Amino acid sequence: GDSVGRKTNLLFFAGSVKDRTALHTVNVRKLVIDEHAHEPDCVLVDTSKKRLPNYDELLADSTFCLAPAGMGGEGWGRRTTLSILHGCIPVVIQDDTNQPFEELLDYERFAVRMPSSEIPQLVKKLRAMPLEEVKAKQAAMRCVWPRMTWSSVTGAVADESGADDAFASLLLVLARRLEASKGGGATPISDMCGSLKDAICDGDEKNVTAAGDDQDANRSLCSRRRAKGERDGVFNFPVGGAV
């Protein structure tokens, strides 16, 4: 179908929680696991205690995926990107932290932003999200995922053109910043690149391949991405999950 809606798991996270307290102002990983690991539709795993050989499959089979900060607790972590590439709506709990290409991308359209203070209500809020809103975020992800790959550098991972990849997005960000530094303000994206009405496509099917469409197609796409990543040395994470 055009969108899949709810998947097998409501919320997924797998990553190390060990020795994180000193590194994170708020230990989001531990708080989420402690609060919600008992929920029957959530898969939340501390990989310092248990490894998961089917990490990418669980990403693809989940409606929402937790995206906390990365190593050191400062700056965005790669789980935002991994979630999007597997068709899983990222739940970004990173207080006062910008996400990849946030100057170009409207994260409200394809992600969930939540302050760490609302972690106790996380699962309740995700369950309460209307199905149509879930489908709308999944549809937006199907257009935005090519911007999370470096296809023009490493080659296509799922038949995407590479025209609007991470490299192109980086150049747009730098161009906008340069223009702003000269006092001109940031030019809207539609004025800088005629092929982009918006950083997320509206009705343009060029980049709408399989991410999020259905679980079987999505898993196949993820497998191709991961196999390509392993050959090129990108998107590589250890068996059991990202750090």
Side-chain angles (χ1 to χ4, degrees), residues 78 104 121:
R78 59 178 171 170
L104 304 179
Q121 292 81 45

Side-chain angles (χ1 to χ4, degrees), residues 145-146 149-163 165 224-225 228-229 231-232 234-235:
W145 72 260
T149 72
W150 296 85
S151 305
S152 63
V153 178
T154 63
V157 293
D159 303 321
E160 73 277 15
S161 69
D165 71 342
R224 280 186 284 160
R225 289 181 188 142
K228 181 70 165 59
R231 289 196 299 273
D232 292 341
V234 294
F235 303 135

Side-chain angles (χ1 to χ4, degrees), residues 129-170:
M129 183 178 293
L131 181 59
E132 289 309 308
E133 184 176 351
V134 171
K135 290 182 177 180
K137 289 181 182 295
Q138 291 169 334
M141 274 196 303
R142 292 199 293 274
C143 294
V144 81
W145 72 260
R147 292 194 173 276
M148 301 298 170
T149 72
W150 296 85
S151 305
S152 63
V153 178
T154 63
V157 293
D159 303 321
E160 73 277 15
S161 69
D164 299 327
D165 71 342
F167 184 72
S169 301
L170 177 60

Side-chain angles (χ1 to χ4, degrees), residues 25-107:
T25 304
V26 177
N27 193 346
V28 169
R29 302 170 180 220
K30 185 176 188 304
L31 289 175
V32 170
I33 290 175
D34 288 350
E35 285 279 350
H36 303 295
H38 66 281
E39 300 287 353
D41 51 356
C42 297
V43 179
L44 304 169
V45 179
D46 176 2
T47 55
S48 65
K49 298 177 180 178
K50 177 184 178 180
R51 306 300 284 174
L52 290 177
N54 57 336
Y55 181 78
D56 54 344
E57 291 182 7
L58 286 166
L59 279 169
D61 287 344
S62 301
T63 305
F64 301 97
C65 292
L66 180 66
M71 289 292 289
E74 298 179 359
W76 54 268
R78 59 178 171 170
R79 280 182 178 78
T80 301
T81 299
L82 287 174
S83 298
I84 293 169
L85 290 175
H86 286 76
C88 186
I89 299 169
V91 179
V92 180
I93 306 180
Q94 301 176 33
D95 296 349
D96 304 315
T97 302
N98 288 336
Q99 296 302 299
F101 309 122
E102 190 159 357
E103 292 166 78
L104 304 179
L105 306 177
D106 182 1
Y107 272 74

